[in-house]
């Protein structure tokens, strides 16, 4: 048979059985999703030092904790705010078994927007030993402006003049840029929040899935 005859047979068959096309598209989507899943896990493994052990990141819990939990977040992200209670509860419940690493990823505004300003303020607050208070206070605020960010800092006992000087430190800007560059190398990391749990990951504020992974890691 000629190529044209084969193509005609295939065409006629597909026209008579169009559901095959839908099935093929579904199979393709599943295959692509599985590939992204594996590619993301591979990237997380390859980038583990940058994800887990960047000395600039604020972290809570023992370095050798059984579970290494990382969150990429944006202070303007509503879904990040929804996950805040879960994060606090996890840190309180498993102080010796879970290490939590906080990674600012201001993706919802440009460099001059409040996502960047809040990220810089949080990192600067760490120099005064106030990162944890500042982080959760920012997460608890529904609408951020620069003035409100600085007011939150003052309310938490932070020297605002020193904070503003530290916020302008190029090292803080570099840390944020490094996080953004890192996120570009993780295929499934397309928004916030994004969690890494012992090499696996959860995209979005899917607390049931995150709890499932956490409990499995604790039992493993």
């Amino acid at each position: 048979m000629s190529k044209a005859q084969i193509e005609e047979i295939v065409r006629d068959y597909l026209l008579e059985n169009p559901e095959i096309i839908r099935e093929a598209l579904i199979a393709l989507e599943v295959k692509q999703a599985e590939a992204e899943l594996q590619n993301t896990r591979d990237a997380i493994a390859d980038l583990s030092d940058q994800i887990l052990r960047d000395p600039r990141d604020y972290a809570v819990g023992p370095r050798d904790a059984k579970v290494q939990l990382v969150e990429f977040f944006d202070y303007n992200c509503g879904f990040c705010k929804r996950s805040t209670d879960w994060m606090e509860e996890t840190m309180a419940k498993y102080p010796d078994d879970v290490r939590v690493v906080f990674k600012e990823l201001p993706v919802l505004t440009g460099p001059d927007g409040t996502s960047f300003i809040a990220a810089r303020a949080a990192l600067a607050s760490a120099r005064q030993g106030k990162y944890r208070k500042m982080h959760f206070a920012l997460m608890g605020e529904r609408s951020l402006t620069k003035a409100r960010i600085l007011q939150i800092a003052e309310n938490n006992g932070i020297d605002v003049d020193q904070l503003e000087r530290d916020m302008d430190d190029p090292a803080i800007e570099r840390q944020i840029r490094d996080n953004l560059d890192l996120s570009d190398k993780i295929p499934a990391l397309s928004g916030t929040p994004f969690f890494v749990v012992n090499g696996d990951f959860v995209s979005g504020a899917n607390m049931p899935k995150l709890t499932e992974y956490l409990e499995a890691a604790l039992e493993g």
Side-chain angles (χ1 to χ4, degrees):
M1 297 177 65
S2 68
K3 179 181 178 183
Q5 289 174 315
I6 294 173
E7 290 175 346
E8 185 66 21
I9 292 171
V10 171
R11 177 180 178 278
D12 290 343
Y13 182 78
L14 291 176
L15 288 174
E16 292 174 7
N17 302 275
E19 67 278 4
I20 291 176
I21 297 175
R22 183 172 65 86
E23 292 171 3
L25 291 173
I26 292 172
L28 177 61
E29 289 178 0
V30 170
K31 186 176 181 179
Q32 290 173 335
E34 291 174 347
E36 182 180 67
L37 178 66
Q38 189 58 52
N39 289 339
T40 298
R41 286 174 173 160
D42 290 344
I44 288 171
D46 292 341
L47 300 166
S48 61
D49 281 345
Q50 292 170 259
I51 294 171
L52 295 173
R53 289 179 281 278
D54 187 331
R56 300 171 298 177
D57 291 332
Y58 182 80
V60 175
R63 286 183 61 85
D64 61 349
K66 190 171 187 179
V67 179
Q68 301 290 321
L69 171 62
V70 183
E71 181 185 8
F72 292 82
F73 57 85
D74 183 309
Y75 287 112
N76 278 313
C77 169
F79 291 104
C80 298
K81 295 179 188 298
R82 290 185 195 179
S83 66
T84 300
D85 287 345
W86 187 92
M87 292 293 285
E88 288 190 287
E89 290 168 5
T90 296
M91 288 189 292
K93 189 174 181 179
Y94 305 106
D96 299 321
D97 295 319
V98 178
R99 177 174 179 258
V100 178
V101 180
F102 298 84
K103 296 189 86 75
E104 283 79 4
L105 193 69
V107 293
L108 296 180
T109 70
D112 297 324
T114 54
S115 290
F116 264 80
I117 294 170
R120 285 164 42 216
L123 292 173
S125 72
R127 299 184 180 185
Q128 297 184 44
K130 301 284 187 176
Y131 180 94
R132 187 167 178 170
K133 283 187 174 182
M134 188 66 172
H135 170 82
F136 287 108
L138 289 170
M139 281 299 181
E141 184 67 24
R142 295 185 64 180
S143 180
L144 292 174
T145 64
K146 183 175 182 180
R148 183 61 185 144
I149 291 167
L150 297 179
Q151 183 62 56
I152 289 171
E154 185 175 353
N155 292 346
N156 283 277
I158 295 171
D159 182 329
V160 174
D161 290 336
Q162 183 62 50
L163 182 79
E164 290 193 275
R165 286 193 293 272
D166 289 336
M167 286 170 65
D168 291 332
D169 187 336
I172 284 181
E173 180 75 14
R174 189 159 51 250
Q175 182 175 352
I176 293 171
R177 293 293 178 185
D178 287 347
N179 285 348
L180 291 167
D181 290 343
L182 175 62
S183 73
D184 288 338
K185 299 173 184 176
I186 302 174
L189 206 175
S190 58
T192 55
F194 184 87
F195 300 91
V196 176
V197 187
N198 278 17
D200 222 321
F201 69 93
V202 174
S203 182
N206 187 341
M207 296 303 103
K209 176 60 71 174
L210 198 52
T211 299
E212 177 187 328
Y213 283 167
L214 175 66
E215 291 177 350
L218 287 167
E219 293 172 3

